[in-house]
């Protein structure tokens, strides 16, 4: 998965054609570079999804059985093979680079000639010498399009030529290839020289007719043009009085009151955005959390509802809401006005999620046509500060984007794309989780094309198995496609030194909003830019900081070219999940972002977004837990989970530093693979990894160091769970550290590609879902709370101070944790001896009469001197069974680092070398008939000497490795067995 938590399945050209290269001087965007990779089809796609979902606990029974699972193994091998390196545009042949051409706005579409009756070997021969037009193709040549690319087909074999530089609207006049059938049209000249048409040939080819035949959709522009529906007041002038009566939406009483005369939303000035959010009743807790943050900021908002249940629920909670009216007519023909799914979490249902995407954009259009500028957000976006200064130009660096038709967030993870040279992230994946749309023709045309493209995709989605889960096909994918297929006007640039280029940009920006006040503000902003440009080097830095725009155009449903300006939000302030939760960039630099999107997270399932909630809880941003979550006794959520937490009372807090490496011997030699569950890749990589020993203190950053140091941390978590179970308390986790980021592709020395060392020092404070599977913990008898639990204002001071500190005689003083927090001083101290087991600790607490304390605190240095036993083989076995579910699966997370793959991706024959984690800590001794057949024949006698306890604890575990092909396992368990054990124990 890539950045957003949303699955963005690579477009077809990422597998079979040329990946797009973008230039600020391009006039079209479907140039590609050959990657020579096979497209992924049907069951194989499902299989990859199945394999990926295992890591977060989705059962394979949701898929198509053994055949799908076998296909998954083969697909992973094929899918992970690297592509050839992209050639930068500056290194491409001159014919492949595009000149600066300024398309004329609002030009009527020229009618294309009627398509041939069918595409077949009889529909015209390969007329050698009978070439027509300036493209060198035969007279019967016609056009097809797929994923932003355009091709010309000719001859009985339907050979395709790539239209390298399509003219504006060329793709919209081409027949759309359905499904994965592009590969059925062979490349001309085998994809070699002559396959790509140059600038002149592309221009001539774009005058051809659209192809027709099986697997091809008729181009939309063949249909009769329809007028672009404008607001009653005109574009950019705000809503007209009585706009609700003419709206296709039905509003609840809260919304009607807010928009009525004297209401809080009355007279919203044009240019001030209305916040929108979308959802259904199945995720109402996420919606309520979103609304509470917005209400704190007193921002105007409307909940747009996917079902009647949410519409009713919103009214009950005092939230303004809208839903599409029922009935017939245009809105009914546009698609369903409600969305249903058998899953709680829409994300995993391909039909429901795509239907939701279409309905969401129809909501956009309804408000745009009413005259509103709208700031749209996903449910997992939280507004922490008022965004209006950035969208209205009050912040100097946002002077230009405040006049754009569209402003969108990105998934960039560093400032490398935050400049004019990198187009402010516009050449990368755009994330529609935060999206500003102006009430303008350009924004409306983009939204109409967006809906149409999703309707086309639904044709393919309807062919999927009814019970299939997937996440790679979503509305965001098709927004990016619509955006990148729009023709880029590389001439217009409000920051250019050329006055003519600045004036071209100014003309468009003035056309978006013609109110005198807005025009005056725009002229003032452009004058400031002109003054900076005239000042030269003295103002160069200030000029560079002003976020730039791109100007593109599309042919609308009215048959006219409509241009639009698009920009991006600042990546630090409108934060992705990576910068906020993984890098902690804003926290370390001392400011709060405007908004945070819980992307780059793990462990969403069809039931719930477990990883998102966990991360928000850790940062004290999840506001909708019931009071019982903070009480000594009570369920963690409503409805209460299974198994219940009602058997537990109070909390156990593992605090202080988990790893005190300063006390470890130097050197401390360990096998680098000692904490890995599997090593895969080339035979040489496997052999070298298994043979290599290193000093833990000086080991290079990467997967091996991460897994090795985490094994000490993981064992402390395991032992704290056992102690909490003995005391029947809920465990408050410590803050966790990671020595490598988690990513579904190759890391760069333990970091996400492009992230600098100063932006993410290693180790870093990492979210719980980087290391553990949240869903398994939620449904296990191992109740936990996040590390920040006691910092919440919902924990009463009297409870927070009702504490006991457990210490073991002879243990070193506890150090502050990696976040700089000192272990809290407790009101009472419970002292134990080295080698006391967990049952004895629980008994001693009761004997002191302190069993009712709200929280018992224990540091790692004392915890590791206790005996790892609950006092009986039976109790140990029961605990092992619980822990096997939450910690027992070995094949869980794969780490691949560029340091281990120096010839990848330059050499496609070289496999990707990866290391898998995690091993579970040693089980408690339970007897010979235990869960895994491990442990002593009876609970071992506990050591009482502190040095002996630590020596045994820090001894290197013995691993036996068994290889098969390009992998070697440190256990004889196979993936299927592990999976069965994981899901059923």
């Amino acid at each position: 998965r890539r950045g957003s938590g949303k699955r963005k399945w690579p477009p077809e050209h990422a597998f079979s054609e040329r990946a797009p290269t973008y230039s600020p001087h391009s006039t079209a965007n479907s140039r590609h570079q050959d990657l020579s990779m096979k497209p992924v089809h049907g069951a194989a796609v499902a299989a990859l999804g199945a394999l990926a979902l295992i890591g977060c606990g989705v059962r394979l029974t949701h898929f198509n059985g053994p055949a799908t699972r076998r296909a998954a193994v083969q697909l992973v091998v094929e899918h992970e093979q690297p592509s050839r390196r992209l050639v930068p545009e500056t290194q491409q042949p001159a014919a492949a680079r595009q000149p600066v051409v300024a398309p004329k706005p609002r030009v009527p579409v020229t009618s294309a000639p009627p398509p041939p009756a069918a595409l077949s070997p009889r529909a015209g021969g390969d007329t050698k010498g009978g070439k027509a037009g300036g493209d060198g193709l035969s007279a019967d040549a016609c056009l097809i399009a797929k994923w932003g690319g355009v091709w010309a087909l000719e001859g009985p074999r339907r050979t395709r030529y790539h239209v390298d530089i399509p003219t504006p609207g060329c793709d919209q006049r081409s027949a759309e290839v359905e499904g994965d059938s592009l590969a059925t049209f062979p490349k001309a000249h085998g994809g070699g020289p002559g396959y790509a048409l140059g600038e002149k040939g592309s221009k001539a080819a774009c005058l051809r007719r659209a192809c027709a035949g099986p697997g091809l959709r008729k181009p939309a522009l063949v249909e009769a043009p329809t007028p672009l529906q404008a607001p009653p007041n005109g574009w950019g002038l705000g809503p007209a009085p009585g706009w609700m009566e003419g709206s296709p939406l039905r509003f609840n009483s809260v919304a009607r009151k807010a928009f009525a005369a004297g209401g809080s939303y009355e007279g919203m000035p044009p240019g001030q955005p209305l916040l929108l959010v979308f959802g259904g009743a199945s995720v109402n807790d996420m919606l309520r959390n979103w609304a509470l943050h917005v209400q704190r900021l007193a921002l105007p908002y409307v909940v747009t509802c996917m079902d009647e249940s949410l519409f009713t629920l919103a009214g009950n909670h005092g939230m303004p809401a809208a839903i599409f009216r029922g009935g017939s007519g245009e809105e009914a023909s546009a698609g369903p006005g409600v969305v249903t799914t058998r899953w709680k979490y829409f994300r995993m249902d391909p039909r429901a999620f795509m239907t939701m995407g279409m309905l969401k954009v129809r909501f956009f259009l309804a408000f745009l046509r009413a005259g509103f500028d709208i700031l749209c957000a996903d449910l997992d976006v939280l507004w922490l500060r008022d965004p209006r200064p950035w969208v209205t130009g009050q912040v100097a660096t946002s002077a230009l984007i405040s006049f754009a038709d569209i402003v969108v967030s990105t998934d960039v993870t560093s400032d490398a794309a935050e400049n004019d040279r990198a187009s402010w992230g516009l050449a990368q994946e755009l994330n529609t989780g935060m999206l500003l749309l102006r009430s303008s023709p350009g924004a409306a045309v983009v939204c109409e094309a967006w809906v149409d493209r999703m309707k086309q995709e639904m044709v393919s989605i309807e062919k999927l198995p009814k019970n299939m889960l997937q996440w790679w096909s979503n509305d965001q994918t098709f927004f990016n496609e619509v955006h990148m297929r729009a023709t880029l006007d590389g001439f217009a640039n409000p920051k250019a030194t050329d006055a003519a280029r600045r004036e071209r940009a100014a003309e468009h920006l003035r056309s978006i909003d013609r109110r005198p006040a807005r025009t005056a503000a725009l002229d003032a902003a452009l004058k400031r830019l002109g003054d900076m440009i005239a000042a030269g080097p003295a103002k160069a830095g200030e000029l560079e900081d002003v976020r730039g725009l791109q100007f593109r155009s599309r042919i609308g449903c009215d048959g006219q070219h409509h241009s639009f300006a698009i920009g991006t939000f600042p990546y630090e302030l409108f934060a992705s999940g990576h910068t906020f939760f993984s890098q902690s960039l804003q926290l370390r630099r001392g400011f709060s972002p405007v908004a945070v999107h819980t992307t780059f997270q793990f462990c969403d399932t069809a039931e719930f977004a477990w990883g998102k909630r966990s991360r928000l809880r850790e940062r004290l941003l999840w506001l909708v837990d019931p009071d019982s979550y903070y009480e000594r006794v009570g369920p963690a959520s409503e409805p209460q989970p299974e198994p219940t937490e009602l058997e537990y009372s109070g909390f156990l807090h593992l605090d202080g530093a988990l790893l005190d490496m300063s006390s470890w011997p130097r050197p401390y030699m360990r096998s680098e693979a000692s904490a890995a569950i599997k090593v895969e890749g080339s035979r040489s990589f496997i052999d070298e990894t298994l043979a290599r020993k290193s000093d833990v203190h000086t080991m290079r950053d990467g997967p091996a160091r991460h897994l090795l140091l985490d094994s000490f941390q993981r064992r402390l978590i395991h032992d704290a769970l056992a102690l909490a179970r003995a005391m029947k308390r809920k465990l408050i986790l410590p803050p966790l550290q990671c020595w490598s980021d988690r990513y579904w592709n190759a890391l760069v020395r333990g970091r996400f590609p492009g992230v600098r060392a100063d932006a993410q020092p290693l180790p870093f404070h990492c979210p719980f879902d980087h290391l553990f599977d949240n869903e398994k913990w939620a449904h296990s008898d191992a109740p936990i709370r996040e590390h920040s639990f006691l910092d919440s204002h919902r924990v009463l001071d009297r409870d927070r101070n009702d504490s006991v500190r457990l210490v073991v005689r002879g243990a070193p003083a506890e150090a502050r944790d990696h976040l700089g927090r000192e272990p809290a001083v407790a009101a009472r101290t419970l002292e134990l001896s080295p080698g006391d087991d967990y049952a004895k600790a629980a008994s001693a607490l009761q004997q002191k009469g302190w069993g009712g304390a709200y929280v018992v605190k224990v540091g790692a240095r004392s915890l590791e001197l206790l005996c790892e036993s609950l006092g009986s083989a039976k109790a140990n076995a029961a605990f092992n069974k619980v822990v096997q579910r939450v910690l027992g699966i070995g094949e869980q997370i794969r780490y691949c680092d560029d340091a281990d793959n120096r010839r990848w991706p330059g050499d496609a024959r070289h496999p990707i070398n990866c290391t898998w984690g995690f091993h579970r800590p040693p089980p408690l001794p339970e007897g010979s008939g235990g869960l895994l057949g491990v442990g002593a024949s009876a609970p071992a006698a506990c050591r009482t000497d502190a040095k002996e306890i630590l020596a045994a604890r820090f001894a290197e575990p013995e691993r036996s490795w068994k290889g098969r092909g390009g992998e070697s396992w440190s256990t004889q368990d196979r993936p299927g067995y592990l999976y069965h054990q994981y899901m059923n124990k």
Side-chain angles (χ1 to χ4, degrees):
R1 289 187 297 184
R2 293 163 66 189
S4 61
K6 297 178 181 179
R7 178 64 176 179
K8 299 162 223 166
W9 193 251
E12 199 275 344
H13 61 57
F15 292 96
S16 63
E17 293 300 325
R18 300 182 179 184
T21 57
Y22 307 116
S23 162
H25 306 300
S26 301
T27 57
N29 309 101
S30 55
R31 304 193 310 278
H32 303 292
Q33 192 161 10
D34 202 338
L35 297 182
S36 298
M37 292 187 70
K38 298 178 180 180
V40 179
H41 297 280
V45 172
L48 182 61
L51 196 68
L53 284 170
I54 290 175
C56 285
V58 178
R59 296 177 183 268
L60 281 177
T61 52
H62 295 319
F63 295 86
N64 289 333
T68 303
R69 292 194 291 270
R70 287 193 298 271
V73 177
Q74 180 180 1
L75 174 61
V76 168
V77 174
E78 293 179 359
H79 179 64
E80 297 293 356
Q81 295 304 312
S83 59
R84 292 204 290 272
R85 201 180 294 274
L86 300 181
V87 179
E89 184 183 17
T90 54
Q91 300 176 17
Q92 294 175 4
R97 298 198 295 268
Q98 299 184 30
V100 175
V101 178
K104 298 179 180 180
R106 301 187 67 82
V107 176
V109 178
T110 303
S111 297
L119 266 175
S120 71
R122 295 181 296 279
D126 187 2
T127 54
K128 304 292 184 182
K131 306 295 181 181
D135 51 15
L137 302 179
S138 59
D140 68 340
C142 56
L143 295 174
I144 62 171
K146 178 70 176 178
W147 286 111
V150 181
W151 292 265
L153 302 186
E154 73 162 1
R157 296 184 62 234
R158 298 187 291 178
T159 303
R160 58 185 161 115
Y161 290 82
H162 187 244
V163 179
D164 229 25
I165 309 176
T167 57
C170 186
D171 65 310
Q172 293 177 267
R173 292 189 291 269
S174 304
E176 187 76 18
V177 178
E178 295 181 332
D180 298 317
S181 57
L182 181 62
T184 62
F185 306 110
K187 295 179 182 179
H189 307 289
Y195 164 63
L197 302 177
E199 182 182 356
K200 181 180 178 181
S202 295
K203 184 176 180 180
C206 284
L207 298 176
R208 301 278 186 167
R209 70 191 72 187
C211 299
L216 298 176
R217 269 194 303 271
K218 184 168 61 174
L221 293 185
V222 173
E223 305 292 340
T226 57
L228 187 66
Q229 184 179 340
N233 274 357
W235 296 108
L237 299 178
W243 66 272
M244 277 189 171
E245 283 68 29
S247 173
L249 305 177
R250 175 163 51 95
F251 295 87
N252 67 3
S253 59
V254 183
R256 290 195 301 271
K257 181 179 179 181
F259 285 109
S264 56
Y265 297 178
E266 183 199 12
M268 283 182 59
Q272 291 287 340
L274 175 68
L275 272 66
L276 299 184
V277 70
F278 307 87
S282 63
V283 287
N284 72 83
D285 47 359
M286 294 190 71
L287 173 63
R288 289 187 293 115
N289 190 61
W290 183 95
L292 286 172
H293 284 277
V294 172
Q295 290 165 2
R296 284 179 169 184
L297 300 173
L299 297 172
Y301 76 97
V302 172
V303 177
T304 52
C305 302
M306 305 304 176
D307 52 51
E308 285 285 350
S309 297
L310 181 62
F311 188 71
T312 301
L313 184 71
N316 294 340
H317 285 275
M319 296 185 286
I323 193 170
F324 271 97
R325 301 179 191 272
S328 57
E330 178 186 349
E331 286 303 324
S333 64
V338 296
V339 186
T340 58
T341 179
R342 66 193 183 96
W343 305 110
K344 181 177 180 181
Y345 188 35
F346 282 89
R347 184 72 209 90
M348 292 297 180
D349 185 333
R351 292 170 183 79
F353 199 65
M354 190 58 66
T355 304
M356 186 176 77
M358 291 189 290
L359 187 58
K360 178 171 73 173
V361 184
R362 287 172 55 207
F363 275 118
F364 294 171
L365 285 166
F367 280 96
L368 293 177
R369 290 165 177 166
F372 288 96
D373 291 353
I374 52 176
L375 182 55
C376 319
D378 286 350
L379 276 171
D380 60 343
V381 170
L382 297 186
W383 297 103
L384 307 182
R385 295 164 62 185
D386 189 340
R388 289 174 292 191
W390 282 267
V391 302
T392 58
Q394 298 174 47
V395 176
T397 56
S398 299
L400 287 177
I401 65 171
S402 66
F403 297 101
D405 298 82
I406 301 170
V407 187
V408 62
S409 58
T410 68
D411 278 337
V412 300
T413 55
S414 73
D415 58 5
E418 291 284 284
N419 53 65
D420 289 316
R421 294 176 299 281
S423 302
W424 299 94
L426 283 165
Q428 302 186 31
E429 179 83 15
L430 303 178
N431 191 308
T432 55
M434 290 177 269
L435 181 64
L436 174 69
L437 296 168
R438 297 290 182 192
S439 180
S440 69
V445 164
V446 168
C447 287
E448 288 176 345
W450 190 3
V451 172
D452 288 342
R453 183 61 187 88
M454 287 188 283
K455 287 181 181 178
Q456 295 172 9
E457 186 65 14
M458 280 298 292
V459 176
S460 299
I461 289 176
E462 287 298 334
K463 299 175 184 178
L464 295 175
K466 296 295 184 184
N467 61 344
M468 179 179 173
L469 304 182
Q470 63 104 311
W471 60 94
W472 56 82
S473 184
N474 58 71
D475 59 285
Q476 179 174 291
T477 300
F478 301 112
F479 174 86
N480 277 273
E481 182 183 336
V482 167
H483 160 243
M484 294 314 302
R485 288 177 72 158
T487 303
L488 175 64
D489 180 357
F491 187 78
N493 183 353
K495 296 174 68 176
T497 56
D498 184 347
R501 299 182 68 188
R502 294 202 304 274
E503 182 55 31
R504 168 71 72 78
E507 287 177 4
H508 171 78
L509 294 174
R510 291 189 188 103
S511 71
I512 298 174
D513 188 341
R514 298 188 181 279
R515 289 176 296 123
R518 193 68 171 158
T519 300
L522 173 62
D523 290 341
L526 294 174
K527 184 180 184 302
R528 285 193 296 271
L529 287 176
D531 292 343
M532 292 178 197
I533 294 169
K539 292 285 187 178
E542 190 176 343
L543 177 65
E544 174 67 19
D545 289 341
V546 177
R547 303 187 72 80
L549 300 174
Q550 279 187 355
F551 297 86
R552 294 177 177 268
S553 65
R554 284 190 63 88
I555 300 173
C557 61
D558 57 355
Q560 303 291 320
H561 282 284
H562 293 274
S563 59
F564 61 93
I566 184 170
T568 59
F569 289 117
Y571 88 108
E572 286 182 313
L573 292 167
F574 294 78
S576 72
H578 197 277
T579 63
F580 187 76
F581 296 107
S582 296
Q583 297 180 42
S584 298
L585 199 62
Q586 297 80 6
L587 181 65
R588 290 188 294 102
R589 294 181 178 177
F591 66 89
S592 171
V594 175
V596 59
H597 194 179
T598 54
T599 53
F600 292 88
Q601 55 81 44
F602 305 91
C603 294
D604 286 1
T605 71
E607 181 184 3
F608 193 68
W610 306 102
K612 296 178 188 292
R613 185 180 69 178
S614 173
R615 290 188 176 199
L616 294 175
R617 278 175 169 171
E618 287 182 339
R619 293 300 183 94
L620 302 177
L621 296 175
W622 185 255
L623 308 179
V624 293
D625 279 316
D627 291 339
S628 59
Y629 185 77
Y630 300 92
E631 295 170 351
R632 285 175 171 80
V633 179
S637 60
E638 297 172 348
Q640 71 182 58
E642 287 294 336
T644 180
E645 293 187 357
L646 296 178
E647 299 174 3
Y648 295 82
S649 178
F651 303 91
L652 173 73
H653 185 200
L654 175 58
D655 65 358
L658 295 188
L659 273 63
D660 181 14
M661 294 180 64
S662 63
S663 66
W664 294 3
R666 290 180 178 270
Y668 184 18
M669 305 301 294
R670 292 289 287 262
S671 168
E672 287 198 7
S674 63
I677 194 76
K678 182 175 74 168
V679 179
E680 66 180 8
S682 68
R683 197 67 247 172
S684 60
F685 167 72
I686 294 173
D687 293 341
E688 290 170 8
T689 300
L690 298 186
R692 189 161 51 234
K693 281 184 172 287
S694 297
D695 180 2
V696 172
H697 296 281
T698 59
M699 188 183 299
R700 66 175 173 84
D701 291 331
R705 177 178 173 82
H706 172 55
L707 296 181
L708 181 55
L709 292 177
D710 173 74
S711 68
F712 297 100
Q713 176 177 249
R714 190 167 293 256
R715 188 166 180 177
L716 287 165
I717 300 296
H718 171 274
D719 293 352
L721 273 176
L723 178 59
R725 186 178 180 87
M727 294 181 171
K728 281 297 179 182
R729 289 176 171 270
K730 294 163 277 194
L731 176 63
I732 302 174
L733 293 162
L736 301 170
Q737 286 184 286
C738 288
W739 292 261
S740 174
D741 205 347
R742 181 177 176 182
Y743 178 42
W744 39 90
N745 213 322
L747 295 158
V748 180
R749 294 302 176 101
R751 296 180 181 86
F752 194 92
V755 175
R756 298 192 308 270
D758 64 322
Q760 190 174 24
L762 298 182
F764 66 96
H765 169 58
C766 58
F768 183 80
D769 64 304
H770 261 50
L771 298 171
F772 302 100
D773 183 349
N774 302 78
E775 188 268 343
K776 290 295 165 288
W777 290 74
H779 294 304
S780 296
D781 190 14
I784 57 173
R785 296 293 186 268
E786 63 281 358
H787 71 86
S788 57
F789 176 80
L790 293 176
D791 297 327
S792 172
H793 72 278
R794 297 182 65 182
V795 175
L796 302 178
D797 285 342
R798 67 170 183 266
D799 288 337
R800 188 180 292 109
N801 296 327
D802 183 12
S803 59
V804 174
R805 166 69 64 182
L806 188 157
V807 297
V808 174
R809 283 186 290 272
E814 303 293 344
R816 67 181 61 185
D817 64 27
H818 66 271
L819 298 181
R821 299 183 303 190
E822 295 282 358
V825 176
R828 294 154 288 185
T829 300
L830 176 65
E831 190 173 81
L832 299 174
S833 300
D836 286 349
D837 63 25
Y838 307 135
K840 188 170 184 179
S843 176
L845 184 69
Q846 295 296 331
Q847 290 174 9
K848 287 282 190 179
W850 299 337
Y854 184 80
V855 59
V856 174
K857 297 176 176 289
V858 62
R861 305 291 76 80
S862 287
L863 179 63
E864 61 193 10
L865 289 178
L866 294 177
C867 179
E868 293 179 301
S869 175
L870 286 166
S872 72
K874 181 178 179 181
N876 289 350
F879 175 74
N880 285 341
K881 186 173 182 179
V882 172
V883 171
Q884 175 63 13
R885 184 173 178 84
V886 297
L887 295 177
I889 178 67
E891 190 199 15
Q892 192 171 23
I893 300 174
R894 186 188 68 161
Y895 296 90
C896 311
D897 200 275
D898 72 328
D900 299 323
N901 293 278
R902 293 200 176 277
R903 285 184 288 161
W904 179 83
D907 182 359
R909 296 167 298 177
H910 191 68
I912 300 178
N913 298 322
C914 304
T915 306
W916 289 73
F918 296 89
H919 273 289
R920 66 163 284 175
L924 302 187
E926 60 186 58
S928 58
L931 174 67
L932 302 178
V934 297
S937 57
C942 295
R943 297 180 177 87
T944 56
D945 180 80
K947 290 184 178 180
E948 291 182 3
I949 293 172
L950 293 178
R953 185 180 187 90
F954 283 82
E956 182 169 355
E958 294 183 5
R959 305 289 189 210
S960 60
W961 293 88
K962 183 175 181 180
R964 190 184 74 171
E967 62 184 29
S968 189
W969 289 75
S970 63
T971 171
Q972 295 183 5
D973 295 330
R974 305 310 306 153
Y977 171 64
L978 284 169
Y979 177 76
H980 172 76
Q981 181 186 87
Y982 185 35
M983 297 301 299
N984 296 298
K985 294 295 185 181

